[in-house]
Amino acid sequence: MNSQHSGLSPQQAAQKAFVDQFEYQPQLLVYAPGRVNIIGEHTDYNDGFVMPCAIDYGTAISGAKRTDSLFRVYAVDLQQWDEFDLNKPIEPHPEYKWTGYVRGVVKYIQQKCPEFKCGADLAISGNVPLSSGLSSSAALEVATGKFCQVLGNLALTNVEIALIGQQAENRFVGCQCGNMDQLISALGQKDHLLKIDCRTLETEPTPVPHGVAVIIVNSNVKHDLVDGEYNSRRQQCEQAAAFFGVKALRDVSIEQFQQRESELTALDAVVAKRARHIVTENQRVLNAAVALKKGDLQQVGVLMGQSHVSMRDDFEITVPEVDYLVALAQEVIGDSGGARMTGGGFGGCIVALAPEEKIESVRKKIADHYEKHTGLKETFYVCHASAGVSVL
């Protein structure tokens, strides 16, 4: 969902399209942000720790209640329609993938709140770059969930809305993602990163130090996580947890891992590498939260660098273009911040934390070298940590 070409914000684009397409005034406008994960990659479905922030790119839904049970949905940025009936079983659309995020959420809201029966007309627009690893799908799921909650006056918390979004992605769309993306879209706080314990769902806001920018650079290597790589990483992590006799790799300390690392490597060297990434990455998130509270950006940068190396060598989810972007950014940032791959992997974006005065030199360094070296043109975003889902 992508309205960035029209010059309108997603909120404006959704409202305008609603009036144009449905020819009456909307009653409700909901907005949910995308996210970038600063550190803690693939730890969420291992019951671990993550530290994302919501960003100032997101998805808006403008809509109104109908008197029947039909959901009529217009995707502004794709100029595509979907229609389904709440009184019939909700199945995936035969060709449009985006509809799964809406249909799946509505289906699981109905399961949780059987009283939800009212149809609606919706216009959806967003400006989260697609296939970039910034969670356009979670923004759409959380916006849809919040829309239904307000429309039906349902007793759902934002955490429950986030978990319904995850359920839709896992069961309806078929990507075995964890709960991070939906939780940060639902719970984000302005000017803060959010340390999330993906097992207990406890959150701890961690301020972004003053004068520090969140830079996102899209490699424009497209990825699609529903393809087997993501799900196979998840299975490898489950195999490792079974080896250690625990519910999830969250329960394995670095010391415990090291004690049995050679034994696991002898059994399955790949599974051992995957486990090493998760166990060390969980600790890096905890260390980064402490460093950020002290305003120690140099230490945060060291941890981000270690995280990237671990994703490249142990989890094997980076691509050469992304590795190159991280190297270019890190060269300029030096020890005043850090850079790493962010998102599910196999393309997508890097994230950097850097002093605001370094933004332009990072931008220039990448513009001068990346396209020459890779044949792809990067997209450069400076983001601000933003609030989660809102009703406008």
Side-chain angles (χ1 to χ4, degrees):
M1 306 271 138
N2 225 314
S3 68
Q4 51 205 16
H5 314 300
S6 58
L8 300 175
S9 70
Q11 296 92 321
Q12 292 165 325
Q15 285 192 285
K16 180 180 183 304
F18 186 91
V19 176
D20 290 349
Q21 298 297 328
F22 295 105
E23 300 182 333
Y24 68 102
Q25 289 300 318
Q27 300 165 324
L28 179 58
L29 180 63
V30 172
Y31 175 81
R35 66 96 187 93
V36 66
N37 190 24
I38 304 301
I39 194 161
E41 218 61 74
H42 287 262
T43 44
D44 57 348
Y45 56 80
N46 289 287
D47 278 4
F49 299 95
V50 292
M51 196 152 59
C53 67
I55 56 175
D56 37 5
Y57 291 85
T59 297
I61 298 179
S62 177
K65 196 179 273 198
R66 292 174 58 85
T67 53
D68 57 18
S69 57
L70 281 187
F71 252 68
R72 293 192 304 170
V73 188
Y74 180 65
V76 178
D77 315 307
L78 303 170
Q79 299 183 322
Q80 289 175 353
W81 283 92
D82 185 27
E83 186 175 302
F84 56 95
D85 190 334
L86 296 195
N87 288 339
K88 296 179 181 155
I90 299 175
E91 306 290 349
H93 190 282
E95 50 179 328
Y96 297 156
K97 183 181 159 188
W98 65 268
T99 62
Y101 303 112
V102 179
R103 289 178 176 218
V105 168
V106 173
K107 179 186 176 89
Y108 293 119
I109 280 186
Q110 274 200 301
Q111 278 186 10
K112 198 168 172 69
C113 307
E115 72 274 19
F116 182 65
K117 294 199 168 56
C118 58
D121 290 335
L122 291 75
I124 300 174
S125 181
N127 62 359
V128 183
L130 294 177
S131 296
S132 61
L134 299 179
S135 269
S136 52
S137 55
L140 177 53
E141 289 155 1
V142 170
T144 303
K146 189 71 181 173
F147 180 88
C148 293
Q149 183 242 319
V150 176
L151 195 75
N153 196 17
L154 306 173
L156 290 173
T157 65
N158 282 358
V159 169
E160 288 172 319
I161 288 169
L163 296 178
I164 286 169
Q166 181 200 8
Q167 200 181 9
E169 189 128 3
N170 289 174
R171 295 197 199 162
F172 200 88
V173 180
C175 179
Q176 298 307 311
C177 66
N179 54 21
M180 166 178 68
D181 299 351
Q182 293 82 7
L183 283 169
I184 185 65
S185 184
L187 304 175
Q189 291 193 16
K190 189 171 159 36
D191 300 326
H192 286 73
L193 308 174
L194 207 59
K195 187 184 96 185
I196 302 174
D197 179 331
C198 295
R199 172 173 285 169
T200 65
L201 307 184
E202 280 176 76
T203 58
E204 186 186 327
T206 309
V208 178
H210 188 69
V212 171
V214 179
I215 299 169
I216 299 173
V217 190
N218 191 346
S219 67
N220 288 312
V221 176
K222 292 276 186 276
H223 70 169
D224 186 351
L225 294 184
V226 183
D227 295 351
E229 289 291 352
Y230 193 100
N231 295 346
S232 78
R233 291 299 180 288
R234 186 162 184 156
Q235 284 160 354
Q236 289 159 341
C237 292
E238 286 165 3
Q239 286 171 282
F243 169 82
F244 284 102
V246 293
K247 180 171 178 281
L249 285 175
R250 146 69 173 278
D251 302 308
V252 180
S253 69
I254 290 179
E255 298 69 39
Q256 288 168 318
F257 176 76
Q258 287 168 342
Q259 280 163 7
R260 299 190 64 191
E261 182 177 3
S262 55
E263 191 189 335
L264 179 54
T265 303
L267 269 177
D268 190 325
V270 172
V271 167
K273 288 203 303 185
R274 303 295 188 254
R276 187 192 307 131
H277 166 70
I278 299 299
V279 170
T280 56
E281 186 79 347
N282 272 322
Q283 190 59 49
R284 283 188 284 271
V285 177
L286 300 177
N287 295 351
V290 172
L292 273 165
K293 285 211 169 60
K294 294 181 186 159
D296 185 351
L297 217 56
Q298 184 175 351
Q299 178 59 19
V300 174
V302 168
L303 292 163
M304 289 173 79
Q306 291 171 349
S307 171
H308 185 80
V309 168
S310 180
M311 290 187 286
R312 183 189 69 201
D313 300 348
D314 282 343
F315 223 62
E316 298 181 274
I317 53 173
T318 75
V319 294
E321 294 88 346
V322 165
D323 295 334
Y324 186 57
L325 276 178
V326 167
L328 289 173
Q330 196 66 61
E331 212 175 303
V332 178
I333 296 166
D335 60 9
S336 64
R340 62 185 274 281
M341 185 211 94
T342 186
F346 312 104
C349 292
I350 72 161
V351 64
L353 287 184
E356 283 169 355
E357 62 269 18
K358 295 216 169 177
I359 293 171
E360 285 317 311
S361 44
V362 174
R363 190 195 303 264
K364 184 175 184 330
K365 178 84 174 183
I366 290 172
D368 288 350
H369 292 88
Y370 180 70
E371 190 177 9
K372 265 185 218 151
H373 185 82
T374 64
L376 291 167
K377 180 74 184 131
E378 77 285 349
T379 321
F380 195 95
Y381 305 91
V382 180
C383 292
H384 299 93
S386 301
V389 66
S390 57
V391 180
L392 306 163

